[in-house]
Amino acid sequence: MAKYKFTLKERRDVAEGTMAFVFDTSGAPDFSFRAGQYVEVGLENPPYTDEKKNHREFSITSSPEEKGIIMIASRMRDSAFKRSMREVPMGTEFAIEGPYGDFSLHENIQRQAVFIAGGIGITPVRSILKDAAERKLPHKIILIYSNRTPESAAFMEDLEKFEKMNPNLTVLATMTDMENAKNPWEGLRGRVDADFIKNNIGDLSNSTYYIVGPAQMVSGVGAALESAGVSRDDMRFEEFSGY
Ligand SMILES: Cc1cc2nc3c(=O)[nH]c(=O)nc-3n(C[C@H](O)[C@H](O)[C@H](O)COP(=O)(O)OP(=O)(O)OC[C@H]3O[C@@H](n4cnc5c(N)ncnc54)[C@H](O)[C@@H]3O)c2cc1C
């Protein structure tokens, strides 16, 4: 698989405990990806190390239309690798491998796409929704975006913007832990279980379901969809192992 060296161009907070990283890809005109794919991101001489490896997988959260950069976003836990990512200076060279994966929007425009993203699982979905809005794709798309609290929900403003740009997109965000929230929330509450899915999507047939996030969330939502009557053949999964 292709290997690249991309330098860090920008780093910023995008939610509580969550940072986005932008890499300069302009020196590699052959690098391309499909919305929804991921890359392996590594540091050759990180300032901090532990017994774990010096690379992690991250979904690309920018869209293919954005030329000369890619953006990823990460939950910033206290592992040596994440500490290194947080502290290395701008211009640091990262080793990037990929792109990998086939978590991409289906082609059949007669089928609705239902994305169910848990927390940081929004990263590949942001790329797909941005791409759909920019290329004016005709697919009907519903996003169910589940977070514990509003302050931990990354990219909410961007998602609202894509919804305004794309008449075929509906964004349904839900919070599962408002008791511990700092920011107010007027929208949906509660976990994504079989009742939530039936109440908010209505007719469950003729849709392809894309479930993405930490492994436990992915298996829980897969089981909920199954008990709501959705066939496993109509589900696609992207598990963020390591959480
Ligand atoms: C396809 C894919 C896309 C991802 N996209 C994102 C993203 O966009 N944003 C994001 O924040 N995270 C993403 N992740 C998760 C990310 O790669 C890290 O695993 C996660 O951020 C935890 O890293 P850490 O340094 O915080 O934790 P640590 O626990 O210090 O390190 C996690 C490391 O432990 C190992 N590990 C632990 N559990 C497992 C397991 N169940 N299976 C395999 N290895 C394991 C791995 O070596 C992993 O690198 C993705 C993972 C995958 C597989």
Side-chain angles (χ1 to χ4, degrees):
M1 183 48 72
K3 295 184 184 191
Y4 301 89
K5 303 270 188 213
F6 295 151
T7 54
L8 181 62
K9 189 176 175 178
E10 194 189 322
R11 174 172 51 204
R12 60 186 160 89
D13 292 318
V14 289
E16 193 174 72
T18 310
M19 292 184 94
F21 299 81
V22 178
F23 297 100
D24 183 349
T25 63
S26 58
D30 63 314
F31 178 82
S32 66
F33 68 98
R34 276 177 287 118
Q37 287 194 294
Y38 67 95
V39 283
E40 192 180 283
V41 175
L43 273 166
E44 264 151 31
N45 292 300
Y48 306 104
T49 53
D50 58 16
E51 73 285 359
K52 305 230 177 78
K53 55 195 184 185
N54 291 331
H55 53 84
R56 300 281 187 277
E57 295 89 1
F58 291 103
S59 298
I60 301 170
T61 196
S62 50
S63 73
E65 296 284 302
E66 295 171 78
K67 302 299 177 202
I69 61 112
I70 53 168
M71 180 164 77
I72 61 162
S74 171
R75 284 291 197 232
M76 298 310 292
R77 303 196 312 182
D78 199 35
S79 64
F81 185 75
K82 298 269 176 92
R83 246 181 297 145
S84 300
M85 283 181 84
R86 197 195 330 254
E87 290 184 26
V88 291
M90 288 300 123
T92 296
E93 212 170 59
F94 280 71
I96 309 282
E97 261 187 58
Y100 297 115
D102 54 8
F103 193 75
S104 306
L105 187 61
H106 57 261
E107 288 190 350
N108 179 357
I109 62 169
Q110 307 305 329
R111 281 185 85 77
Q112 174 171 261
V114 178
F115 289 92
I116 305 178
I120 194 62
I122 196 62
T123 48
V125 183
R126 179 187 184 276
S127 177
I128 292 168
L129 300 187
K130 188 166 189 290
D131 183 50
E134 286 168 344
R135 293 200 291 136
K136 301 194 187 322
L137 297 182
H139 302 70
K140 288 260 177 245
I141 304 176
I142 297 176
L143 165 63
I144 297 176
Y145 183 24
S146 170
N147 281 275
R148 285 205 299 277
T149 59
E151 56 274 14
S152 64
F155 300 123
M156 282 297 294
E157 281 175 17
D158 291 348
L159 299 171
E160 283 160 17
K161 194 171 89 191
F162 305 152
E163 200 179 19
K164 287 200 184 97
M165 286 167 71
N166 182 354
N168 295 317
L169 172 64
T170 304
V171 175
L172 302 169
T174 179
M175 302 299 154
T176 60
D177 189 18
M178 281 308 293
E179 296 73 35
N180 293 306
K182 296 177 200 127
N183 293 351
W185 177 251
E186 302 298 332
L188 296 168
R189 294 182 184 208
R191 296 179 75 79
V192 182
D193 56 16
D195 285 341
F196 184 102
I197 293 162
K198 282 189 220 153
N199 293 341
N200 287 288
I201 299 186
D203 179 12
L204 301 182
S205 62
N206 202 34
S207 292
T208 300
Y209 295 81
Y210 297 80
I211 307 146
V212 52
Q216 229 184 337
M217 171 265 162
V218 169
S219 60
V221 171
L225 279 169
E226 217 171 357
S227 73
V230 176
S231 162
R232 289 240 153 209
D233 288 350
D234 296 332
M235 300 181 208
R236 299 200 195 167
F237 304 98
E238 187 79 314
E239 272 191 17
F240 286 10
S241 56
Y243 285 111

